[in-house]
């Protein structure tokens, strides 16, 4: 089955700096890669996703890149703000059509 | 406006006492999922419904069951909760199974006394 690894597990950045979270996956059949933001006491919220026919996607301060050859994808947040502080999960959808989540990254943006 | 609604947000039950968690959606999505999330871990899929077709994950414990009486509602039944079942339970929906975003509710935090 699919195995998704996510790094780092914790990340602290100064407000205004960029944050990068990286994930790798194992199943070459995976073709859908969403990113979720989870705030304390809430469910995961989809913030951006990318499909395998695209190498990069951007939505305002958030961008995701995908390298299918290397089987890795990354989340980039620019101009970070305190409200970006949360746990971020990457995920990959494999041939079984189930979402496989990474282990999460706790992002802290220091004002 | 909430599109995937879970009730209650917090549920306390006694060891071995059956409990039911509920989820409703206003998105008219075909697929509904139940996940278990323990502290500082990723959500773990328990099962999902594609319309009325039920799909159980291989490692989902037998005392976890689900019902989907109609498109909008889905229930998670835990027949005999153990201490290890204390967790956040998340419901999610998607329009279809293939490469469609999953939309999560805010979860029900289950505590076992």
């Amino acid at each position: 089955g699919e195995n998704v690894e996510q790094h780092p597990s914790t990340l602290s950045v100064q407000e205004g700096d960029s944050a990068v979270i990286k994930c790798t996956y194992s199943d070459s059949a995976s073709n859908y890669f969403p990113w979720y933001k989870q705030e304390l006491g809430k469910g995961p919220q989809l913030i951006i996703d990318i499909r395998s026919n695209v190498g990069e996607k951007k939505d305002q301060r958030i961008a995701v890149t995908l390298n299918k050859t290397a089987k890795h994808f990354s989340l980039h947040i620019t101009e970070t703000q305190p409200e970006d502080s949360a746990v971020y999960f990457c995920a990959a959808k494999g041939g079984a059509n189930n979402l496989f989540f990474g282990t999460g990254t706790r992002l802290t943006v220091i004002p | 406006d909430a599109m995937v609604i879970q009730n209650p947000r917090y549920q306390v039950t006694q060891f071995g006492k059956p409990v039911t968690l509920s989820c409703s959606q206003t998105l008219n999505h075909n697929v509904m999922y139940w996940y278990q999330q323990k502290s500082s871990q990723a959500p773990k899929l328990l099962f999902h419904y594609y319309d009325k077709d039920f799909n159980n994950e291989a490692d989902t414990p037998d005392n976890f069951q689900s019902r989907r009486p109609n498109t909008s509602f889905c229930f998670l039944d835990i027949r005999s909760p153990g201490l290890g079942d204390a967790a956040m339970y998340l419901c999610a929906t998607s329009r279809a199974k293939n490469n469609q975003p999953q939309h999560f509710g805010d979860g029900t935090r289950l505590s076992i006394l």
Side-chain angles (χ1 to χ4, degrees), chain B:
Chain B
D1 291 333
M3 295 175 287
V4 181
I5 303 158
Q6 292 190 243
N7 285 305
R9 293 295 315 278
Y10 302 91
Q11 176 74 55
V12 181
T13 192
Q14 291 178 323
F15 181 94
K17 185 174 181 181
V19 65
T20 294
L21 310 181
S22 72
C23 177
S24 63
Q25 55 136 337
T26 58
L27 298 163
N28 203 33
H29 281 173
N30 290 318
V31 194
M32 295 187 78
Y33 308 80
W34 279 105
Y35 289 85
Q36 179 192 66
Q37 186 178 29
K38 296 195 174 180
S39 182
S40 301
Q41 294 184 20
K44 178 180 179 297
L45 183 64
L46 295 172
F47 26 57
H48 73 273
Y49 272 96
Y50 183 70
D51 286 335
K52 295 183 179 180
D53 182 25
F54 177 70
N55 297 272
N56 198 33
E57 293 302 297
D59 56 354
T60 298
D62 290 341
N63 68 327
F64 285 75
Q65 296 178 335
S66 184
R67 295 171 284 134
R68 190 179 185 185
N70 53 52
T71 301
S72 301
F73 286 87
C74 196
F75 300 98
L76 169 61
D77 300 307
I78 309 176
R79 286 190 298 185
S80 182
L83 296 178
D85 296 328
M88 174 79 89
Y89 289 88
L90 296 163
C91 174
T93 74
S94 65
R95 189 182 306 279
K97 286 205 289 187
N98 294 334
N99 299 342
Q100 292 293 316
Q102 291 189 16
H103 302 273
F104 285 81
D106 280 337
T108 294
R109 182 164 296 283
L110 178 67
S111 299
I112 314 294
L113 298 180

Side-chain angles (χ1 to χ4, degrees), chain A residues 32-83:
Chain A
Y32 175 65
F33 307 91
W35 285 87
Y36 287 88
K37 174 185 180 181
Q38 188 171 23
E39 297 178 82
L40 192 63
K42 294 193 174 183
Q45 177 190 6
L46 179 70
I47 55 171
I48 196 167
D49 57 8
I50 191 167
R51 290 174 171 77
S52 59
N53 58 346
V54 176
E56 184 173 357
K57 184 176 177 181
K58 191 173 181 180
D59 182 4
Q60 298 182 341
R61 296 187 297 110
I62 295 172
V64 58
T65 58
L66 171 65
N67 183 328
K68 281 215 74 180
T69 304
K71 297 204 202 76
H72 65 70
F73 56 114
S74 301
L75 177 72
H76 304 252
I77 307 174
T78 58
E79 300 172 33
T80 53
Q81 301 166 3
E83 49 265 39

